[in-house]
């Protein structure tokens, strides 16, 4: 798997057996870690650090998914032993702030902690080519009409889905983190409705075509 290869190449990992957790600071985060719709319909204890014996537990830019008062209250009630609770969404922060709990802070999404100059090793897979890159969180056939005017002048690339839904010239069923960033950084036009894809497109100063999500977000 490309993600495992990326992890072996770039991440320095330490076995938990080699760490004195009583003296450690442990941070969980960020994207969707407390979203029950992608963790089997319940909060995942792994991201609540319930089995970890540590006095310094924090979250950074954590997001909840469905930000109802009930969901937010359930998460908050499971974090009694956290020293700091950093959340990403402003509306979640606003609701939690009503509790007058000094542990709660509003964090920027980690994608914005770096700028384009912090990504020097992003070689182009298609040097000399003008590229349109497509990455959508859900199928939207309007994309086909959007990119039609570029097909004769650009190489059309797409990421995601087992099928080449948009009939792109080159289709990636999945892309490693390195490939994902490189494809965005070297694209002339990015067609997407993914928050992080658009965020990286802004960081790399790409031209963006936003395709609305069906739920109106």
């Amino acid at each position: 798997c490309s993600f495992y290869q990326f992890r072996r190449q770039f991440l320095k990992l330490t076995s938990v057996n080699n760490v004195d957790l009583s003296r450690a600071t442990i941070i969980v985060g960020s994207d969707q870690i407390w979203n029950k719709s992608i963790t089997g319909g319940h909060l995942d204890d792994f991201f609540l650090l319930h089995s970890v014996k540590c006095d310094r537990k924090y979250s950074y830019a954590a997001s909840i998914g469905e930000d109802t008062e009930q969901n937010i209250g359930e998460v908050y009630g499971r974090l009694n032993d956290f020293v700091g609770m950093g959340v990403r969404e402003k509306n979640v922060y606003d609701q939690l702030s009503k509790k007058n709990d000094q542990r709660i802070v509003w964090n920027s999404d980690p994608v914005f902690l770096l700028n384009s100059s912090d990504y020097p090793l992003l070689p182009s897979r298609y040097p000399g080519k003008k590229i349109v890159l497509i990455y959508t969180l859900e199928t939207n056939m309007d994309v086909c009409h959007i990119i039609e005017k570029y097909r004769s002048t650009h190489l059309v690339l797409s990421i995601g889905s087992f099928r080449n839904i948009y009939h792109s010239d080159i289709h990636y069923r999945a892309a490693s983190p390195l490939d994902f960033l490189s494809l965005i950084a070297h694209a002339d036009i990015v067609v997407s409705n993914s928050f992080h894809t658009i965020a990286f497109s802004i960081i790399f100063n790409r031209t963006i075509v936003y395709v609305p999500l069906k739920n109106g977000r």
Side-chain angles (χ1 to χ4, degrees):
C1 173
S2 57
F3 276 79
Y4 290 117
Q5 292 173 0
F6 178 87
R7 188 172 71 179
R8 286 193 296 268
Q9 183 176 356
F10 293 104
L11 302 184
K12 183 179 179 181
L13 304 179
T14 301
S15 169
V16 69
N17 297 323
N18 299 328
V19 177
D20 182 358
L21 294 180
S22 66
R23 301 176 60 185
T25 296
I26 299 181
I27 304 170
V28 295
S30 64
D31 193 32
Q32 308 298 327
I33 60 169
W34 297 327
N35 184 346
K36 294 191 291 185
S37 67
I38 59 175
T39 55
H42 56 81
L43 293 173
D44 190 332
D45 283 344
F46 184 84
F47 296 115
L48 300 169
L49 301 178
H50 280 181
S51 62
V52 177
K53 305 300 181 184
C54 174
D55 294 329
R56 291 182 295 276
K57 301 178 183 180
Y58 294 84
S59 66
Y60 178 83
S63 56
I64 291 173
E66 189 176 352
D67 53 2
T68 62
E69 185 175 348
Q70 179 179 350
N71 269 356
I72 293 172
E74 181 182 357
V75 170
Y76 178 75
R78 303 282 295 277
L79 302 174
N80 293 327
D81 58 349
F82 272 55
V83 176
M85 297 164 52
V87 296
R88 184 178 73 180
E89 277 76 29
K90 179 66 161 55
N91 52 336
V92 175
Y93 171 75
D94 288 341
Q95 290 193 52
L96 288 175
S97 294
K98 298 175 184 177
K99 300 181 182 296
N100 294 317
D101 188 332
Q102 297 303 309
R103 298 177 300 162
I104 299 165
V105 295
W106 181 28
N107 299 138
S108 170
D109 187 278
V111 71
F112 296 116
L113 297 180
L114 303 176
N115 57 46
S116 59
S117 64
D118 294 308
Y119 298 95
L121 301 175
L122 294 173
S124 173
R125 277 179 167 263
Y126 308 97
K129 299 286 187 180
K130 297 178 68 175
I131 293 171
V132 174
L133 177 65
I134 306 166
Y135 178 60
T136 59
L137 298 179
E138 59 192 16
T139 302
N140 187 325
M141 298 315 295
D142 288 343
V143 170
C144 293
H145 302 296
I146 292 169
I147 64 173
E148 197 58 40
K149 62 181 177 180
Y150 301 112
R151 289 191 184 276
S152 62
T153 55
H154 290 68
L155 183 67
V156 179
L157 310 178
S158 58
I159 303 173
S161 176
F162 285 98
R163 296 185 297 116
N164 187 356
I165 298 168
Y166 302 121
H167 308 292
S168 54
D169 299 314
I170 299 173
H171 176 65
Y172 291 76
R173 290 186 178 181
S176 72
L178 184 61
D179 283 338
F180 185 74
L181 290 178
S182 179
L183 290 171
I184 296 172
H186 294 284
D188 295 277
I189 300 163
V190 178
V191 182
S192 186
N193 50 28
S194 153
F195 168 79
H196 288 103
T197 303
I198 291 173
F200 278 118
S201 299
I202 293 170
I203 291 168
F204 295 131
N205 197 28
R206 302 298 88 194
T207 297
I208 302 164
V209 178
Y210 174 71
V211 183
L213 289 163
K214 295 174 184 176
N215 62 12
R217 289 188 301 170

